[in-house]
């Protein structure tokens, strides 16, 4: 696939809507307005928002990469069935382990950390739920707009040898 100028624009808009706007909402709601200040006190609900935002971003941005990684792992497993050279086996095993550890990190460790973090701080959520509602609402709207830009990016995808329509 080749990238077009429209895809670059849509990727940029996606980044703005799916990362910058939610972080800006979080900063405006929970952060300090003084840029020079060393006061970065974020409440429990702000931490929950960061965890949830991280989980959603991971799912949206890393799923394709993880699928490609799993395909590489499957290729190594298939190739290992016919390998006889010991040097090639050792190299393939090293690469296989590295890919499996990366896969494990993203599939198991991150959700576990999120669940533990949410379990520990859910008690403090009661009093600040209304304040967090606004942040979640604006972040959800921004995320939905970002998904719209992803759809446009997919729509404007061109194959490498596809002729341009003028």
């Amino acid at each position: 696939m080749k990238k077009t100028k429209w895809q670059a624009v849509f990727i940029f808009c996606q980044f703005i809507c799916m990362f910058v706007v939610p972080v800006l909402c979080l900063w405006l709601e929970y952060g300090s307005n003084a840029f020079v200040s060393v006061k970065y006190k974020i409440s429990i609900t702000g931490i929950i928002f960061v965890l949830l935002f991280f989980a959603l971003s991971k799912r949206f941005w890393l799923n394709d990469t993880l699928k490609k990684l799993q395909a590489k792992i499957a290729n190594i497993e298939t190739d290992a069935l016919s390998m006889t050279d010991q040097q090639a086996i050792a190299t393939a095993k090293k690469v296989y382990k590295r890919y499996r550890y990366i896969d494990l990190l993203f599939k198991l460790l991150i959700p576990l950390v999120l669940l533990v973090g949410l379990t520990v701080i859910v008690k403090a959520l009661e009093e600040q739920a209304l304040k967090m509602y606004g942040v979640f609402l604006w972040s959800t709207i921004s995320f939905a707009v970002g998904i719209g830009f992803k759809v446009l990016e997919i729509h404007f995808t061109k194959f490498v040898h596809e002729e341009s329509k003028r």
Side-chain angles (χ1 to χ4, degrees):
M1 300 294 172
K2 69 179 179 181
K3 297 288 182 187
T4 63
K5 63 182 176 182
W6 284 110
Q7 281 182 306
V9 169
F10 295 139
I11 288 171
F12 177 74
C13 291
Q14 245 179 283
F15 176 74
I16 295 295
C17 290
M18 299 179 95
F19 182 73
V20 174
V21 171
V23 169
L24 183 64
C25 286
L26 177 68
W27 177 259
L28 291 175
E29 188 64 38
Y30 296 107
S32 171
N33 289 332
F35 283 62
V36 184
S37 176
V38 290
K39 181 181 166 187
Y40 292 106
K41 186 176 183 180
I42 296 179
S43 66
I44 298 296
T45 53
I47 294 169
I48 290 173
F49 176 76
V50 169
L51 289 173
L52 182 62
F53 173 71
F54 179 72
L56 290 173
S57 296
K58 176 218 169 271
R59 177 166 175 78
F60 193 79
W61 292 98
L62 292 179
N63 274 358
D64 290 338
T65 305
L66 290 175
K67 286 179 185 176
K68 291 176 186 175
L69 183 66
Q70 290 167 356
K72 288 180 183 180
I73 290 169
N75 285 339
I76 292 172
E77 290 172 345
T78 304
D79 292 343
L81 295 174
S82 61
M83 282 186 192
T84 56
D85 181 34
Q86 292 302 311
Q87 182 67 26
I89 291 172
T91 303
K93 187 175 181 181
K94 183 178 178 183
V95 172
Y96 175 79
K97 284 183 178 181
R98 183 176 65 226
Y99 287 161
R100 291 292 294 180
Y101 287 135
I102 293 169
D103 188 47
L104 177 70
L105 175 72
F106 286 112
K107 282 177 137 179
L108 300 176
L109 189 60
I110 291 174
L112 180 64
V113 169
L114 289 173
L115 287 172
V116 168
L118 288 173
T119 303
V120 169
I121 60 178
V122 76
K123 282 296 228 179
L125 180 64
E126 295 168 325
E127 64 192 45
Q128 296 183 15
L130 289 176
K131 186 176 182 182
M132 193 167 70
Y133 171 76
V135 174
F136 275 120
L137 179 66
W138 287 110
S139 297
T140 302
I141 291 169
S142 178
F143 225 80
V145 171
I147 290 170
F149 283 120
K150 181 66 175 178
V151 169
L152 288 171
E153 176 197 345
I154 292 169
H155 180 73
F156 281 90
T157 299
K158 301 259 186 225
F159 285 99
V160 175
H161 299 290
E162 182 178 358
E163 294 181 12
S164 298
K165 294 179 183 178
R166 298 249 174 194

